Amino acid sequence: MKSRLDIKKIQKDFPQLDVLVNNKRLVYLDNAATTLKPNIVIETLTHYYQHQVANVHRGVHSLSEEGTRRFEETRQTIQNFIHAKFSHEIIYTKGTTDSLNLLASSFGEAFITKGDEIILSQMEHHSNIVPWQILCEKKGAILKVIPVDDQGNLKLDEFKKLLNTKTKMVSIVHTSNTLGTVNPVKEIIQLAHAVGAKVCLDAAQSIAHQTIDVIELDCDFLVFSAHKIYGPNGLGILYGKEELLNAMPPYQGGGAMISEVTFEKTTYNILPNKFEAGTPVIAEVIAFKAALDYVSQIGLEEIALYEHELLEYATSEIKKLKGIRIIGEAKEKSGVLSFVIEGIHPHDLGTLLDKQGIAIRTGHHCTQPLMKRFGIKAAARASFTFYNDKRDVDALITGIEKAREFLL
Ligand code: PLP
């Protein structure tokens, strides 16, 4: 099936695509790091700061009540977007990293004891490694790692061998930010549940590119960042099943998360407030609804179809270049293309592409253990989304050729 998206029309919604970088048309291929923002998100943010500023949950005055209504409306939009059962299962955080720290700390406090095991994979982002390592050190728990094969697939047979009744948590990336691999998470969740373990999906890279249904997947927790799906910075989501969130202690103390405070004892608020201490990022939450509505209007299935076509085109074009090694060639891939070029350091390539207005990512992509697995220190990464087009891919290829002429 061919995608039917009107890309030219979509591109007009993203004002930053008109910005010149080094006097060249911006070719933005760093979408896995963060996405550009559509006008509707920028306008919603501005509107809040021009007309609507008020704190939420605290005032009886009109602006505070209206702000609270819109703040909670976003929660319902997120609930519908990931198909959760209740809106109070949606916790606002600062980002994926913050969500994972909250989870490791609070879930760890409630459910992890000495000798318990936590399983991650070799392709995790550092933010899905370090919080669990800190927890393991604190509690005397053990970290186990699912290896990755040469194509960039998880070795599921090895995963099955790691699972046992001591496994309490499997925290796994849905789509790898470095390899682009889309992991078979439904199967992983079923296998983990069979031994009584809980599963957290790091959906930072999948949320903008495929439909996610937490009930159908039966995942226990899901985390992502608003800025990776056309929303504002500083906002993340932790989804958790109600009974698990209820059994977990608060992560931070302060205003809004309490029911009653005395110096003798404090009682805590119900979900979701129990996990939302202090004044939140109100404008960002309100504007995030605009981002999700925008994506829903276009349709994630159409988006996925288009991005897949673009990835296939980019992969076939880049393979024609001399000395290219693609890092991550799994069958199920999202719009991420990581590569190294013989004799050229990725940072040099990134710098020369930047001079041509082309923004890609270079470095270890916060996945140092994965870099080690592939025997490299760094890679270049082009990551695509629905406002990119074949012209961007062609610019990348020409840009790489020019860089090669300069460097070799
Ligand atoms: N997990 C994955 C797979 C990511 O790609 C990223 C960011 O690149 C993160 C976690 C961390 O997200 P944030 O920096 O928004 O907290």
mmCIF file of all heavy atoms in Angstrom, residues 32-33 94-98 100 125 127-128 173 175-177 202 204-205 225 227-228 381, ligand 1:
data_model
loop_
_atom_site.group_PDB
_atom_site.id
_atom_site.type_symbol
_atom_site.label_atom_id
_atom_site.label_comp_id
_atom_site.label_asym_id
_atom_site.label_seq_id
_atom_site.Cartn_x
_atom_site.Cartn_y
_atom_site.Cartn_z
ATOM 1 N N ALA A 32 15.004 11.758 15.840
ATOM 2 C CA ALA A 32 15.030 10.841 16.976
ATOM 3 C C ALA A 32 15.510 11.574 18.232
ATOM 4 O O ALA A 32 15.211 11.169 19.354
ATOM 5 C CB ALA A 32 15.926 9.644 16.683
ATOM 6 N N ALA A 33 16.271 12.664 18.028
ATOM 7 C CA ALA A 33 16.733 13.453 19.181
ATOM 8 C C ALA A 33 15.593 14.330 19.682
ATOM 9 O O ALA A 33 15.254 14.328 20.866
ATOM 10 C CB ALA A 33 17.933 14.307 18.801
ATOM 11 N N LYS A 94 8.893 14.863 33.828
ATOM 12 C CA LYS A 94 9.676 15.830 33.055
ATOM 13 C C LYS A 94 10.126 15.263 31.703
ATOM 14 O O LYS A 94 10.622 15.985 30.855
ATOM 15 C CB LYS A 94 10.920 16.249 33.844
ATOM 16 C CG LYS A 94 10.576 17.136 35.051
ATOM 17 C CD LYS A 94 11.822 17.681 35.714
ATOM 18 C CE LYS A 94 12.551 16.585 36.449
ATOM 19 N NZ LYS A 94 13.679 17.043 37.262
ATOM 20 N N GLY A 95 10.010 13.957 31.546
ATOM 21 C CA GLY A 95 10.484 13.335 30.301
ATOM 22 C C GLY A 95 10.648 11.837 30.501
ATOM 23 O O GLY A 95 10.431 11.313 31.607
ATOM 24 N N THR A 96 11.056 11.146 29.455
ATOM 25 C CA THR A 96 11.274 9.696 29.554
ATOM 26 C C THR A 96 12.260 9.376 30.679
ATOM 27 O O THR A 96 12.037 8.460 31.482
ATOM 28 C CB THR A 96 11.851 9.156 28.223
ATOM 29 O OG1 THR A 96 10.999 9.572 27.157
ATOM 30 C CG2 THR A 96 11.968 7.658 28.231
ATOM 31 N N THR A 97 13.338 10.145 30.725
ATOM 32 C CA THR A 97 14.374 9.897 31.733
ATOM 33 C C THR A 97 13.788 10.024 33.139
ATOM 34 O O THR A 97 14.037 9.181 34.008
ATOM 35 C CB THR A 97 15.523 10.921 31.557
ATOM 36 O OG1 THR A 97 15.983 10.835 30.208
ATOM 37 C CG2 THR A 97 16.668 10.658 32.508
ATOM 38 N N ASP A 98 13.018 11.072 33.333
ATOM 39 C CA ASP A 98 12.400 11.300 34.643
ATOM 40 C C ASP A 98 11.410 10.169 34.970
ATOM 41 O O ASP A 98 11.362 9.669 36.099
ATOM 42 C CB ASP A 98 11.680 12.653 34.616
ATOM 43 C CG ASP A 98 11.276 13.136 35.992
ATOM 44 O OD1 ASP A 98 12.048 12.918 36.947
ATOM 45 O OD2 ASP A 98 10.187 13.732 36.126
ATOM 46 N N LEU A 100 11.523 7.108 33.964
ATOM 47 C CA LEU A 100 12.252 5.877 34.301
ATOM 48 C C LEU A 100 12.887 5.961 35.689
ATOM 49 O O LEU A 100 12.937 4.971 36.421
ATOM 50 C CB LEU A 100 13.314 5.581 33.231
ATOM 51 C CG LEU A 100 12.726 5.074 31.898
ATOM 52 C CD1 LEU A 100 13.746 5.180 30.770
ATOM 53 C CD2 LEU A 100 12.232 3.631 32.033
ATOM 54 N N HIS A 125 18.832 2.728 25.853
ATOM 55 C CA HIS A 125 19.333 4.091 26.061
ATOM 56 C C HIS A 125 19.850 4.163 27.503
ATOM 57 O O HIS A 125 19.314 3.470 28.386
ATOM 58 C CB HIS A 125 18.152 5.053 25.871
ATOM 59 C CG HIS A 125 18.501 6.498 25.838
ATOM 60 N ND1 HIS A 125 18.721 7.229 26.976
ATOM 61 C CD2 HIS A 125 18.642 7.358 24.800
ATOM 62 C CE1 HIS A 125 18.982 8.489 26.631
ATOM 63 N NE2 HIS A 125 18.938 8.592 25.325
ATOM 64 N N SER A 127 19.271 6.065 29.732
ATOM 65 C CA SER A 127 18.234 6.400 30.727
ATOM 66 C C SER A 127 17.400 5.186 31.127
ATOM 67 O O SER A 127 16.674 5.239 32.118
ATOM 68 C CB SER A 127 17.333 7.528 30.223
ATOM 69 O OG SER A 127 16.620 7.104 29.091
ATOM 70 N N ASN A 128 17.514 4.093 30.363
ATOM 71 C CA ASN A 128 16.861 2.851 30.785
ATOM 72 C C ASN A 128 17.885 1.845 31.309
ATOM 73 O O ASN A 128 17.603 0.649 31.389
ATOM 74 C CB ASN A 128 16.052 2.247 29.626
ATOM 75 C CG ASN A 128 15.034 1.227 30.112
ATOM 76 O OD1 ASN A 128 14.571 1.274 31.264
ATOM 77 N ND2 ASN A 128 14.681 0.272 29.256
ATOM 78 N N VAL A 173 13.358 -1.307 25.509
ATOM 79 C CA VAL A 173 13.036 -0.254 24.546
ATOM 80 C C VAL A 173 12.107 -0.818 23.468
ATOM 81 O O VAL A 173 12.301 -1.929 22.991
ATOM 82 C CB VAL A 173 14.344 0.337 23.956
ATOM 83 C CG1 VAL A 173 15.031 -0.613 22.990
ATOM 84 C CG2 VAL A 173 14.098 1.678 23.298
ATOM 85 N N THR A 175 11.350 0.821 20.429
ATOM 86 C CA THR A 175 12.095 1.042 19.182
ATOM 87 C C THR A 175 13.443 1.648 19.542
ATOM 88 O O THR A 175 13.501 2.657 20.246
ATOM 89 C CB THR A 175 11.322 2.010 18.262
ATOM 90 O OG1 THR A 175 10.106 1.383 17.874
ATOM 91 C CG2 THR A 175 12.127 2.351 17.026
ATOM 92 N N SER A 176 14.506 1.021 19.052
ATOM 93 C CA SER A 176 15.849 1.485 19.412
ATOM 94 C C SER A 176 16.182 2.813 18.732
ATOM 95 O O SER A 176 16.024 2.948 17.515
ATOM 96 C CB SER A 176 16.880 0.436 19.008
ATOM 97 O OG SER A 176 18.167 1.019 18.922
ATOM 98 N N ASN A 177 16.686 3.771 19.509
ATOM 99 C CA ASN A 177 17.043 5.072 18.950
ATOM 100 C C ASN A 177 18.304 5.004 18.105
ATOM 101 O O ASN A 177 18.582 5.899 17.321
ATOM 102 C CB ASN A 177 17.231 6.114 20.072
ATOM 103 C CG ASN A 177 18.330 5.743 21.036
ATOM 104 O OD1 ASN A 177 18.353 4.636 21.555
ATOM 105 N ND2 ASN A 177 19.248 6.642 21.279
ATOM 106 N N ASP A 202 9.963 1.353 27.019
ATOM 107 C CA ASP A 202 10.474 2.692 26.726
ATOM 108 C C ASP A 202 9.997 3.042 25.320
ATOM 109 O O ASP A 202 10.548 2.565 24.323
ATOM 110 C CB ASP A 202 12.007 2.676 26.828
ATOM 111 C CG ASP A 202 12.618 4.002 26.387
ATOM 112 O OD1 ASP A 202 11.860 4.886 25.935
ATOM 113 O OD2 ASP A 202 13.849 4.135 26.486
ATOM 114 N N ALA A 204 9.955 6.032 23.947
ATOM 115 C CA ALA A 204 10.442 7.355 23.516
ATOM 116 C C ALA A 204 10.507 7.458 21.994
ATOM 117 O O ALA A 204 10.179 8.488 21.415
ATOM 118 C CB ALA A 204 11.819 7.634 24.124
ATOM 119 N N GLN A 205 10.925 6.362 21.341
ATOM 120 C CA GLN A 205 11.092 6.418 19.879
ATOM 121 C C GLN A 205 9.918 5.829 19.115
ATOM 122 O O GLN A 205 9.874 5.946 17.889
ATOM 123 C CB GLN A 205 12.376 5.669 19.471
ATOM 124 C CG GLN A 205 13.645 6.318 19.949
ATOM 125 C CD GLN A 205 13.864 7.712 19.362
ATOM 126 O OE1 GLN A 205 13.327 8.053 18.311
ATOM 127 N NE2 GLN A 205 14.642 8.527 20.048
ATOM 128 N N SER A 225 8.432 10.835 26.005
ATOM 129 C CA SER A 225 8.623 12.285 26.149
ATOM 130 C C SER A 225 7.758 13.016 25.133
ATOM 131 O O SER A 225 7.702 12.611 23.966
ATOM 132 C CB SER A 225 10.077 12.676 25.868
ATOM 133 O OG SER A 225 10.962 11.990 26.709
ATOM 134 N N HIS A 227 8.429 15.866 23.756
ATOM 135 C CA HIS A 227 9.201 16.569 22.721
ATOM 136 C C HIS A 227 9.549 15.678 21.535
ATOM 137 O O HIS A 227 9.957 16.169 20.482
ATOM 138 C CB HIS A 227 10.470 17.202 23.316
ATOM 139 C CG HIS A 227 11.551 16.219 23.681
ATOM 140 N ND1 HIS A 227 12.543 15.866 22.808
ATOM 141 C CD2 HIS A 227 11.777 15.512 24.816
ATOM 142 C CE1 HIS A 227 13.363 14.992 23.407
ATOM 143 N NE2 HIS A 227 12.913 14.761 24.625
ATOM 144 N N LYS A 228 9.397 14.363 21.702
ATOM 145 C CA LYS A 228 9.708 13.471 20.576
ATOM 146 C C LYS A 228 8.473 13.203 19.724
ATOM 147 O O LYS A 228 8.524 12.464 18.751
ATOM 148 C CB LYS A 228 10.312 12.168 21.094
ATOM 149 C CG LYS A 228 11.680 12.382 21.747
ATOM 150 C CD LYS A 228 12.479 11.132 21.774
ATOM 151 C CE LYS A 228 13.629 11.210 22.765
ATOM 152 N NZ LYS A 228 14.868 11.695 22.159
ATOM 153 N N ARG A 381 23.844 9.275 12.492
ATOM 154 C CA ARG A 381 22.445 8.802 12.465
ATOM 155 C C ARG A 381 21.557 9.842 11.786
ATOM 156 O O ARG A 381 21.509 10.998 12.207
ATOM 157 C CB ARG A 381 21.943 8.570 13.892
ATOM 158 C CG ARG A 381 20.484 8.098 13.935
ATOM 159 C CD ARG A 381 19.949 8.038 15.357
ATOM 160 N NE ARG A 381 19.734 9.367 15.899
ATOM 161 C CZ ARG A 381 19.426 9.617 17.179
ATOM 162 N NH1 ARG A 381 19.322 8.614 18.034
ATOM 163 N NH2 ARG A 381 19.232 10.856 17.595
HETATM 164 N N1 PLP B 1 14.892 6.320 25.601
HETATM 165 C C1 PLP B 1 15.113 6.399 24.282
HETATM 166 C C2 PLP B 1 14.956 5.190 23.425
HETATM 167 C C3 PLP B 1 15.490 7.611 23.710
HETATM 168 O O1 PLP B 1 15.720 7.693 22.406
HETATM 169 C C4 PLP B 1 15.634 8.740 24.554
HETATM 170 C C5 PLP B 1 16.095 10.026 24.001
HETATM 171 O O2 PLP B 1 16.739 10.095 22.988
HETATM 172 C C6 PLP B 1 15.374 8.599 25.909
HETATM 173 C C7 PLP B 1 15.004 7.372 26.397
HETATM 174 C C8 PLP B 1 15.471 9.762 26.853
HETATM 175 O O3 PLP B 1 14.510 10.717 26.545
HETATM 176 P P1 PLP B 1 14.528 12.154 27.258
HETATM 177 O O4 PLP B 1 15.897 12.716 27.011
HETATM 178 O O5 PLP B 1 13.451 12.918 26.567
HETATM 179 O O6 PLP B 1 14.262 11.953 28.696
#
